[in-house]
Amino acid sequence: MWIFLARRLVQTLPVLLGVSVITFLLIYYLPADPARMYAGPSATVETVARIRHELGLDQPLWVQYTTYLARAARGDLGFSYRKQIAVTELILSRMPYTLALTLAGIFVELLIGLPVGIASAVARGKWADRVGMFIALIGISAPPFWLGLLLLYWFGFRLPILPLGGADEATSIVLPALTAGLGGAAWYARMMRSSTLDILSTDYVRTARAKGRSMFGVIVRHVLPNALNPIITMAGMDIPWFIGGVVLVERVFNWPGVGRMAVEAIETVDVPLILGTVIFTAVMVVVSGILIDVVQGLVDPRIRHSRQGQ
Amino acid sequence: MAVTQSESDQVKSPEIVTLAQEGLAPATSEVGYFAVIWRRLRRDGAAMLGAALVALIALVGLLAPLLAPHDPTEQFRDGLTPDGQPMPSTLLTEGSTRYLFGTDSNGRDLLSRILYGAQVSLLVGVLANTLAVALGVMVGSVAGYFGGWLEILLMRFTDIMMAFPTLLLAMALVAILKPSLWIIIVVIGLVYWTWIARVVYGQVLALRDRDFVTASRALGSSRRATLFRHILPQLVPTIIVWGTLGIATNVMLEASLSYLGIGVQPPTPSWGGMIQQGQSYYRTAPWMVIFPGLAIMITVFAFNLLGDGLRDALDPTQRGRA
Amino acid sequence: MSKKVVLSLFIVITTALAACGGGPTPTAAPAATQATTGGGPEKGGEITVVYKDDLATLDPAIGYDWTNWPAIKLVFDGLLDYDSGTTIQPRIAAALPEVSADGLTYTFKLRQGVKFSNGRELTADDIVYTMTRVLDPTTGSPGAGFFVGIKGAQEFIDGSATAVEGIKAVDSSTVQFTLTSPDVTFLNKMALNFAFIVPKEEVEKAGENFGHAPVGTGPFILKEWVSGQHLVFDRNPNYFFEGRPFLDKVTIEVGVEPDVALLRLEKGEIQLMGDPPPGADWTRISADPAWTDRIEVEATVNTTYIAINTGMPPFDNVKVRQALNHAIDKQRIVQLLNGRATVANQILPPLMPGYDASYTGYDYNPDKAKSLLAEAGFPNGFETSIECISVDPQPKLCESFQQDLDKVGIKLTINTLAAPNVIDDAGNGKTPLVWSGGLAWTQDYPDPDDFYSPILGCDSNVPGGWNWSRYCNETVHDKSKELLSMTDREARMAAYKDLFKALMDDAVWVPVINGQYTVAHSEKLHGQPTLTHPEHLFSYETMWLSK
């Protein structure tokens, strides 16, 4: 197990390195004076000069990169002069909100997607199947910020049963999670439908059904365990999509996560914060990829063993 | 758009194996191949609906100047109530079709803006996706076919680019480079190609060891010639499918960037931007939000339907795989 | 009698006594008019104020926008202050200063027992330190320009002197200012935020971070600042001003869109909106009887304008600037603002002395604009850009300008940014046009010079200054200096009419509207007599909550 983990970590090192290179290049090739941009408003000429020296912008390219890399490895992603706070500190303070929303969103996706997918498979070919898939497709196609506004209108304003944004109350997460999850539920529904159909047509299941096992029992006993692997894979690929895509939902509901912060950073052209967020989230994506692999390996030993051969 | 890895659907079409699997390159003179594809498509109601919608939207985009009742950027004096609020559909208020979908907070006709908005969405969607597909195919096929250090380099690079969350990277790039129509097209293309590269890479890897490839090399073709003449044509179905489905995602990306205020700039109408402007009016003037949202949804839906249908028609055994 | 009655009697009596006071006694409070809603102000309570944009800084030498201006008054005080209107009162000073016969020397005696929130007592050295700091170029204070009239200030700024000659601590409780020429507005300037006193040791300890860790003598103390989310201010129990403040806690929340803020106000979750209520809801709430006690409309002394960067071609050509003036449809802007504004045709607002009611200015005439452009050599127009803040309704107003300019052939790109960014770019001359909506210019004090020196005078044409037009006309400037020492008020005001007419002839701005400042607040939140204040924007220390 540990060998597997170690192997995976080693495999991702070049990716992490590459991420740092790309982000660094973005910083370096900004079409503006980085020191001036970092310094932000009300900065005196002296401050700008000091920042330029601090950032080492007068050094050769490779020196700048290694300094940057060393700092990033230590967790120092720079300082946001506009907000007067270290980038890492700010991101870490907002990350729990985004993680909560990501998990809640995936939960909603599963909650809606899995039953719809299974039901469609069971009712295959009948109108319920087609309707289910159709609605799923509509879910994917609706812009999340639009969905969010509509939900906000109906459940926050017309029927004021849910809060109007922010994260002050326990129920504040309901609408954002619903918005984030509704769209993606369709993918899980489609996947579940396929998966269920596969299982349902195996000899084993056919025999079980012939012997009188209920559909429900079959689903619980055979469909779900087999679907676990693809579900985890999908969720794993979902996480990077969420970390990026949740920006829109956070904006609509004023959810104080990393996405909302990224939008603000862009409105205020807070370059260190924008780039710090980009690299931080990229690292999170890579890490979550490893985690998903580990979880998959734990759940399905076959994968673990086959992967070890790679 | 998440890439699914599920098992294939058990349903098999009457045609036992597809021509693509047999490694027969679809020569354009062979009417049979396309006839088969077309027949499959025609039978698929959902795909035809998608095709019809796509055609409709494309027509709207092209003919917007003719169809729109007003100039989409004109702010009308009588487009606002006396105390400066947007107006609902004139069909409801005065029974006329002057402002059929109502007006926005600057007194502009919503219907005209929606019609013109199709131009931006389609332009960005199609061009950005073309860029993404071109890049993705190039990277994926070169990596898959030539192998060696080129493969490792290119696929590692793809992995690196995939680590950056798509929307965040697009946001950062556009914010730094200052938004404009062309910047957005290029940025979205640059951010999206990785998905295609992965898929193409996988397919080329599978094709690499096939008989017809070995035969081609044995007959003296250079590696490059083999790639172009034999392998790439096999990728045509994938390119067609991704060329369609990708538009859906790219339209959504453009709408998202516009919603965040870093899309195409005013006064050019963009559906996402219209939703952003309508955001503070969603209670008092919900039409400002509803119509552009519907437009985005229908467009993305149409391309998804069509793309799905094309994928099923081109290679039914691939259903479930992107 | 019950405790409650005793307490209320106590409050009423002390407040009444305080109202009678108002003289040079150390513990007197300035005359406070009673609020009209039942009974007197009650002590206690906590309020939440919300804004969309984050607070940039609480450093009094630097903060100069809508969000931080009233917040700075929570934590700091100056030598002088205003009463509920525009009359100057002593604050940290024990009394109004003694002015020498030639009008050049001002001597302030300080109150005893004023303490900073770190416990240390304030002395005259703190005044010297504070004012020197404002003038120091390394501080980068946008207010430095107000104080260059102090003797030795220019030499200090240039670096030829290490201290400002005209600021002297005579003893530990007396400070003296000497000017180079008489200035009838000097006291007004000393009542500005820039002159709020800061403790040297805290500034040096915090360095650049002082703006986020402010220490002052004010009615409140900053307890917590979670960047991008909220700031919490607790009542200063040792505040030297008897009876103030009334509230126990003020929380400022940022990052809240105005339309959400409005709904939260209706629900009772917050008590005050820092941004104006969104236009989308205006029709609804102005007709709703439940909202009569929730809206305060202040006809502020404000002109909102398009600043034209006279240093950037083609705007260095006066004809082009005049064309701009003719091209803008100002009535449309009033309509877009739901009628909450009036058309402006000159630089000064109607309530400012020196306003010329007979001046007609530039009319809305797109044809004239086009011919002026042709005369200037641009028959086919040109491309340019404007910066605008992103808070509603400013972007839609900028889109109206975009259409106006398009009609005369000018292609306008709109750059919407957060307020600090616009202020920064405008202050450094980086943008050809700036829309001052949501930012400027509201009077700092009721004198026409306030609409010239800080924003159109040669002294403010420096990097970071608020002279966004980058304008410097020596003739006008010399005249303005003359007017500052003029004591004949009538003649002075008449002369200002000519001065501002000259500026309008040079078309340095497009004055568009005189705005109204609309504030939405909980019906339980009251001011004395109003929540808003002509100089402070919000008067937090006199606000109180009824049960």
Side-chain angles (χ1 to χ4, degrees):
Chain A
M1 188 62 229
W2 295 113
I3 308 172
F4 173 62
L5 185 62
R7 246 207 167 86
R8 285 296 279 120
L9 278 171
V10 166
Q11 276 178 343
T12 57
L13 269 179
V15 175
L16 287 175
L17 207 67
V19 162
S20 71
V21 168
I22 304 266
T23 317
F24 173 75
L25 287 177
L26 282 179
I27 300 173
Y28 193 79
Y29 282 109
L30 282 174
D33 175 9
R36 195 71 184 76
M37 288 188 99
Y38 274 57
S42 323
T44 61
V45 176
E46 286 193 4
T47 314
V48 175
R50 189 173 48 75
I51 291 173
R52 186 169 290 122
H53 184 71
E54 242 180 49
L55 293 174
L57 291 170
D58 28 15
Q59 308 269 37
L61 186 56
W62 69 272
V63 172
Q64 286 188 47
Y65 174 64
T66 40
T67 324
Y68 165 76
L69 193 62
R71 285 213 184 112
R74 268 203 318 262
D76 173 8
L77 289 172
F79 190 76
S80 160
Y81 286 91
R82 289 205 192 271
K83 283 196 175 311
Q84 290 292 309
I85 188 173
V87 170
T88 316
E89 195 185 315
L90 187 57
I91 295 179
L92 287 176
S93 72
R94 312 274 264 209
M95 204 65 209
Y97 289 96
T98 298
L99 282 176
L101 189 55
T102 304
L103 289 172
I106 294 184
F107 176 69
V108 167
E109 285 182 331
L110 293 172
L111 195 67
I112 298 179
L114 297 185
V116 169
I118 295 174
S120 277
V122 168
R124 199 192 88 198
K126 302 191 215 138
W127 69 270
D129 175 18
R130 312 215 87 211
V131 165
M133 288 295 109
F134 225 69
I135 292 184
L137 197 58
I138 290 185
I140 305 174
S141 311
F145 44 93
W146 183 65
L147 261 182
L149 277 175
L150 290 179
L151 285 174
L152 198 60
Y153 177 69
W154 282 107
F155 298 106
F157 179 64
R158 270 308 188 77
L159 308 127
I161 52 179
L162 288 168
L164 286 164
D168 306 313
E169 295 163 48
T171 47
S172 296
I173 198 172
V174 173
L175 284 180
L178 211 59
T179 309
L182 270 174
W187 297 113
Y188 289 88
R190 284 153 69 114
M191 182 279 292
M192 205 58 208
R193 181 182 181 278
S194 284
S195 202
T196 310
L197 284 172
D198 283 348
I199 304 294
L200 286 180
S201 59
T202 57
D203 291 336
Y204 187 83
V205 167
R206 289 212 187 134
T207 322
R209 290 280 286 145
K211 283 213 223 148
R213 274 272 165 75
S214 75
M215 180 62 87
F216 185 75
V218 165
I219 290 174
V220 169
R221 266 209 189 72
H222 301 284
V223 173
L224 287 178
N226 267 283
L228 209 54
N229 197 355
I231 288 178
I232 295 176
T233 314
M234 277 196 88
M237 306 205 68
D238 232 354
I239 290 181
W241 192 248
F242 255 94
I243 295 183
V246 89
V247 166
L248 300 166
V249 175
E250 288 190 9
R251 174 78 173 77
V252 172
F253 293 96
N254 206 28
W255 184 257
V258 172
R260 181 84 183 82
M261 185 196 72
V263 174
E264 261 175 52
I266 282 170
E267 281 176 356
T268 52
V269 199
D270 188 341
V271 175
L273 193 54
I274 295 175
L275 293 171
T277 310
V278 165
I279 192 174
F280 189 90
T281 47
V283 169
M284 285 219 60
V285 166
V286 172
V287 166
S288 68
I290 299 179
L291 276 172
I292 296 295
D293 279 348
V294 167
V295 171
Q296 272 187 321
L298 285 170
V299 160
D300 191 347
R302 293 175 297 176
I303 296 180
R304 200 189 328 151
H305 292 305
S306 75
R307 286 267 175 85
Q308 283 194 330
Q310 282 179 341
Chain B
M1 189 172 90
V3 176
T4 63
Q5 307 264 331
S6 59
E7 314 299 311
S8 57
D9 195 302
Q10 282 289 11
V11 173
K12 280 204 160 68
S13 67
E15 284 85 2
I16 299 158
V17 288
T18 62
L19 301 164
Q21 276 192 316
E22 270 301 287
L24 286 175
T28 47
S29 58
E30 282 215 32
V31 178
Y33 179 77
F34 284 107
V36 163
I37 307 289
W38 177 239
R39 206 171 348 133
R40 283 198 205 130
L41 257 182
R42 241 186 348 170
R43 271 185 303 159
D44 185 349
M48 291 322 298
L49 175 63
L53 282 176
V54 167
L56 181 67
I57 296 167
L59 265 174
V60 165
L62 276 169
L63 300 177
L66 294 173
L67 295 167
H70 304 282
D71 178 343
T73 62
E74 172 128 16
Q75 303 172 26
F76 293 97
R77 256 288 152 68
D78 60 353
L80 293 171
T81 64
D83 57 340
Q85 304 291 5
M87 295 185 351
S89 168
T90 49
L91 206 58
L92 301 169
T93 54
E94 49 178 58
S96 81
T97 54
R98 195 152 53 106
Y99 303 125
L100 194 58
F101 283 359
T103 57
D104 72 357
S105 49
N106 273 79
R108 296 178 286 220
D109 177 35
L110 217 59
L111 174 60
S112 306
R113 285 176 73 77
I114 301 253
L115 294 176
Y116 272 86
Q119 290 186 332
V120 169
S121 293
L122 286 178
L123 201 63
V124 174
V126 171
L127 288 181
N129 199 41
T130 310
L131 179 62
V133 168
L135 279 176
V137 167
M138 232 166 38
V139 170
S141 56
V142 166
Y145 187 65
F146 288 107
W149 61 268
L150 200 56
E151 174 183 3
I152 298 177
L153 191 71
L154 285 174
M155 289 325 285
R156 275 283 164 263
F157 179 60
T158 311
D159 284 341
I160 293 170
M161 291 311 290
M162 284 196 94
F164 293 101
T166 320
L167 186 57
L168 272 179
L169 186 60
M171 277 165 63
L173 285 171
V174 175
I176 293 172
L177 297 170
K178 297 289 167 262
S180 79
L181 184 64
W182 291 102
I183 297 277
I184 290 168
I185 290 175
V186 169
V187 165
I188 293 181
L190 283 180
V191 149
Y192 189 60
W193 64 267
T194 53
W195 302 92
I196 301 168
R198 270 265 181 89
V199 171
V200 167
Y201 172 65
Q203 293 200 322
V204 170
L205 274 184
L207 288 169
R208 179 162 75 169
D209 303 315
R210 296 282 274 291
D211 291 339
F212 73 93
V213 171
T214 331
S216 161
R217 297 281 286 133
L219 287 174
S221 296
S222 73
R223 293 215 292 174
R224 222 174 50 158
T226 314
L227 177 65
F228 273 94
R229 245 189 280 125
H230 296 282
I231 299 208
L232 280 185
Q234 299 299 320
L235 297 173
V236 165
T238 311
I239 294 177
I240 293 179
V241 171
W242 276 88
T244 318
L245 287 173
I247 296 181
T249 316
N250 288 0
V251 166
M252 189 70 98
L253 271 173
E254 186 276 321
S256 306
L257 288 174
S258 298
Y259 169 72
L260 293 172
I262 44 179
V264 289
Q265 295 295 293
T268 317
S270 145
W271 294 335
M274 287 164 72
I275 296 185
Q276 188 232 22
Q277 283 172 348
Q279 200 170 242
S280 60
Y281 289 88
Y282 75 90
R283 278 167 285 112
T284 48
W287 56 90
M288 277 181 76
V289 167
I290 292 177
F291 289 116
L294 274 176
I296 298 173
M297 194 179 83
I298 293 174
T299 308
V300 172
F301 181 67
F303 279 100
N304 269 326
L305 267 185
L306 181 59
D308 273 355
L310 281 170
R311 181 177 55 205
D312 292 345
L314 285 164
D315 193 353
T317 59
Q318 290 280 323
R319 182 175 299 164
R321 229 160 288 168
Chain C
M1 291 194 241
S2 75
K3 272 208 197 131
K4 229 185 184 177
V5 179
V6 172
L7 191 61
S8 5
L9 262 182
F10 180 69
I11 292 174
V12 171
I13 293 174
T14 42
T15 330
L17 281 177
C20 295
T25 51
T27 52
T33 48
Q34 293 295 312
T36 48
T37 41
E42 298 168 28
K43 268 195 176 266
E46 305 178 358
I47 65 166
T48 305
V49 190
V50 302
Y51 284 92
K52 176 178 187 283
D53 278 340
D54 198 358
L55 243 76
T57 177
L58 284 174
D59 187 338
I62 308 209
Y64 203 12
D65 62 47
W66 286 97
T67 348
N68 52 36
W69 192 259
I72 288 172
K73 186 77 177 65
L74 286 167
V75 182
F76 293 96
D77 290 300
L79 284 173
L80 301 170
D81 193 9
Y82 292 93
D83 64 352
S84 60
T86 55
T87 312
I88 298 209
Q89 306 261 334
R91 181 57 74 118
I92 288 185
L96 289 177
E98 264 174 43
V99 187
S100 64
D102 57 5
L104 294 176
T105 311
Y106 292 76
T107 311
F108 292 87
K109 278 220 166 320
L110 304 179
R111 226 181 249 263
Q112 297 301 310
V114 176
K115 287 205 170 74
F116 288 106
S117 57
N118 64 0
R120 174 166 81 70
E121 194 166 320
L122 178 144
T123 68
D125 286 328
D126 291 308
I127 319 290
V128 176
Y129 173 73
T130 301
M131 299 310 297
T132 313
R133 179 173 181 256
V134 170
L135 286 165
D136 190 340
T138 57
T139 311
S141 169
F146 286 112
F147 306 104
V148 292
I150 297 177
K151 189 162 181 215
Q154 199 55 58
E155 288 79 353
F156 174 68
I157 293 174
D158 296 334
S160 51
T162 49
V164 184
E165 199 188 321
I167 312 176
K168 218 170 25 188
V170 172
D171 59 51
S172 68
S173 61
T174 314
V175 66
Q176 198 172 67
F177 290 88
T178 313
L179 308 177
T180 50
S181 59
D183 181 352
V184 298
T185 63
F186 183 65
L187 287 186
N188 294 97
K189 292 172 180 170
M190 290 305 290
L192 290 172
N193 283 24
F194 302 111
F196 286 2
I197 313 302
V198 300
K200 176 173 178 183
E201 71 277 14
E202 296 289 346
V203 175
E204 287 181 347
K205 191 166 73 176
E208 261 171 18
N209 205 32
F210 183 66
H212 282 245
V215 174
T217 62
F220 291 87
I221 300 174
L222 178 68
K223 262 297 182 302
E224 183 184 72
W225 186 336
V226 179
S227 182
Q229 289 193 42
H230 61 247
L231 296 83
V232 181
F233 299 85
D234 279 345
R235 189 169 167 276
N236 179 358
N238 301 315
Y239 192 47
F240 60 87
F241 224 104
E242 288 275 307
R244 304 258 189 106
F246 296 100
L247 297 169
D248 287 331
K249 188 168 20 196
V250 174
T251 304
I252 299 181
E253 251 189 65
V254 296
V256 184
E257 296 280 343
D259 53 302
V260 176
L262 191 84
L263 291 173
R264 288 178 68 188
L265 185 69
E266 278 182 294
K267 277 183 166 184
E269 288 172 20
I270 63 168
Q271 285 70 40
L272 182 62
M273 274 183 67
D275 300 311
D281 296 280
W282 183 251
T283 316
R284 170 171 76 90
I285 61 181
S286 49
D288 187 344
W291 273 85
T292 357
D293 288 330
R294 289 188 191 145
I295 302 180
E296 207 175 281
V297 178
E298 194 190 343
T300 43
V301 187
N302 155 285
T303 305
T304 315
Y305 52 92
I306 298 177
I308 310 176
N309 189 338
T310 58
M312 227 186 232
F315 295 112
D316 48 352
N317 185 328
V318 63
K319 286 206 160 58
V320 175
R321 302 198 294 268
Q322 289 173 337
L324 227 56
N325 269 280
H326 283 296
I328 301 293
D329 183 353
K330 303 176 187 180
Q331 277 298 345
R332 179 167 193 82
I333 301 291
V334 172
Q335 188 191 19
L336 284 170
L337 287 174
N338 321 113
R340 286 182 285 166
T342 47
V343 170
N345 64 7
Q346 57 189 274
I347 293 174
L348 292 179
L351 290 179
M352 174 66 84
Y355 175 76
D356 189 345
S358 58
Y359 181 73
T360 47
Y362 297 95
D363 62 333
Y364 174 51
N365 193 335
D367 292 324
K368 183 121 204 318
K370 273 195 269 209
S371 63
L372 277 169
L373 283 175
E375 274 176 57
F378 298 100
N380 298 316
F382 52 87
E383 283 183 28
T384 186
S385 68
I386 190 171
E387 286 200 6
C388 212
I389 69 168
S390 52
V391 183
D392 184 65
Q394 313 307 339
K396 76 174 180 185
L397 299 181
C398 278
E399 289 192 42
S400 181
F401 298 142
Q402 196 181 41
Q403 176 174 259
D404 291 337
L405 292 186
D406 188 58
K407 284 209 169 83
V408 301
I410 301 177
K411 286 258 162 297
L412 185 70
T413 308
I414 304 176
N415 294 320
T416 359
L417 295 166
N421 298 68
V422 176
I423 296 174
D424 191 37
D425 286 345
N428 289 295
K430 291 206 207 130
T431 169
L433 298 172
V434 183
W435 168 237
S436 80
L439 299 172
W441 183 257
T442 307
Q443 71 169 12
D444 296 307
Y445 44 85
D447 189 285
D449 185 68
D450 185 41
F451 270 73
Y452 171 73
S453 296
I455 50 181
L456 291 167
C458 292
D459 290 330
S460 51
N461 185 11
V462 293
W466 278 67
N467 184 340
W468 295 350
S469 298
R470 304 280 106 202
Y471 183 72
C472 176
N473 181 323
E474 296 288 350
T475 329
V476 172
H477 193 69
D478 293 334
K479 184 76 182 162
S480 80
K481 285 267 188 276
E482 230 184 83
L483 293 178
L484 271 181
S485 8
M486 218 191 250
T487 41
D488 178 348
R489 193 174 165 79
E490 245 188 69
R492 190 163 171 257
M493 294 307 151
Y496 271 115
K497 284 190 186 165
D498 293 327
L499 188 145
F500 283 104
K501 177 167 187 310
L503 291 169
M504 281 306 293
D505 288 339
D506 227 355
V508 296
W509 284 1
V510 181
V512 179
I513 48 156
N514 300 117
Q516 281 176 14
Y517 190 36
T518 326
V519 172
H521 62 95
S522 161
E523 64 277 9
K524 296 209 175 74
L525 187 64
H526 312 277
Q528 289 189 293
T530 53
L531 299 168
T532 55
H533 188 277
E535 311 308 331
H536 300 312
L537 296 180
F538 288 133
S539 182
Y540 286 114
E541 66 181 47
T542 55
M543 284 187 203
W544 56 280
L545 274 176
S546 55
K547 297 287 170 281

